[in-house]
Amino acid sequence: VARKGKTADKRMTPKNRAFCETLVEKVPMKRRFLSSFQGLRAEAEALLDQVVPDGRELTGHERARARMLGASACFAAIEIGGAPIRVENAMGLTCVGEDAQIRVPRKGKKPIKVLIPAELTKNKEEIEFPVRVNAYGCHDTILWYLRTIRPLFPHAGTSPYLFPAVTVPGAPLNADYFGAEFSGLMRTVVNLPMTPHQMRHGQTSLLLDRHPNEIEVIAKR
């Protein structure tokens, strides 16, 4: 039983396999997947734009929704524009201090750099990648999140994390909580039911379909 479990742990589940096969085969679904951060950001901006003309503060519900829409857009932008890191590593990204794991340039169009130390990754290998400026807008979406959405988190001013916890000062946003919220927004806003983990499987499948001879490069990504 232990050996079978160990083997199964290295394989895709039937649910993830079905998701990836559909993603590769259906172009509209593929487009929604690759532009998911744009749809999530647009929904957050539409919500904020409704409040500004009224000249009032966000209600608690509006603030919470804007936070999760923005955080989900930023997460998807990092996954698609940079590399598909695990949701636990994404929630643990620090953005303050000399040892910040995500470094955002103060000005200009320099790449956003992500560096996750080996001791914090599942396979104990360092993860390093840039998010560059391009026509798709991943780089700009991360900057938008930092400028517009992150300040909506109660402890953003004192938190070192890119995604601060809502109720616990100095803590990152809980990965399980975020995963559930992200899945719900992907279903209702993007019309693409999926989990953060499927973001990793989906990217791998699309890359293998397009570049079948680049297995080693894709595996590293």
Side-chain angles (χ1 to χ4, degrees):
V1 171
R3 283 195 292 270
K4 287 181 179 178
K6 185 177 180 180
T7 301
D9 191 46
K10 297 179 180 179
R11 296 177 178 172
M12 293 177 68
T13 64
K15 183 177 180 180
N16 284 338
R17 179 170 183 142
F19 169 81
C20 292
E21 287 176 346
T22 306
L23 190 65
V24 169
E25 293 168 1
K26 296 187 177 181
V27 174
M29 185 174 174
K30 184 189 306 182
R31 288 174 179 163
R32 289 200 299 275
F33 177 88
L34 294 173
S35 64
S36 54
F37 66 93
Q38 297 172 351
L40 293 162
R41 175 179 173 176
E43 187 77 5
E45 290 178 324
L47 172 59
L48 296 175
D49 288 344
Q50 288 177 357
V51 175
V52 173
D54 296 342
R56 62 176 177 83
E57 294 290 327
L58 289 165
T59 66
H61 174 74
E62 289 169 338
R63 185 178 293 269
R65 181 167 173 80
R67 282 196 302 254
M68 293 315 302
L69 282 165
S72 296
C74 183
F75 170 76
I78 292 171
E79 298 287 294
I80 293 171
I85 57 178
R86 288 181 167 82
V87 65
E88 294 83 3
N89 286 127
M91 294 302 104
L93 287 174
T94 54
C95 60
V96 178
E98 295 183 359
D99 58 347
Q101 294 174 23
I102 180 166
R103 297 175 179 270
V104 181
R106 293 183 179 274
K107 58 183 180 179
K109 296 183 178 181
K110 294 181 179 179
I112 294 171
K113 296 181 179 180
V114 175
L115 174 61
I116 303 173
E119 61 267 23
L120 299 179
T121 67
K122 186 176 181 180
N123 61 358
K124 302 306 176 185
E125 290 189 14
E126 182 180 273
I127 297 174
E128 183 177 11
F129 60 87
V131 181
R132 294 187 171 87
V133 176
N134 57 35
Y136 301 107
C138 293
H139 185 283
D140 183 63
T141 295
I142 297 170
L143 296 182
W144 163 82
Y145 165 79
L146 284 165
R147 181 177 63 249
T148 305
I149 301 297
R150 190 174 180 274
L152 298 177
F153 285 85
H155 310 291
T158 57
S159 176
Y161 294 103
L162 178 65
F163 302 104
V166 177
T167 58
V168 183
L173 193 60
N174 180 272
D176 291 335
Y177 170 73
F178 172 79
E181 292 291 312
F182 176 83
S183 298
L185 292 173
M186 286 295 292
R187 181 179 65 254
T188 58
V189 176
V190 184
N191 190 26
L192 182 60
M194 62 172 285
T195 66
H197 187 65
Q198 287 173 328
M199 182 74 78
R200 292 163 56 77
H201 281 301
Q203 277 205 51
T204 303
S205 299
L206 291 176
L207 288 169
L208 283 171
D209 181 62
R210 188 167 183 176
H211 306 285
N213 296 323
E214 299 290 348
I215 293 177
E216 291 186 4
V217 175
I218 295 169
K220 182 174 176 59
R221 176 176 170 82

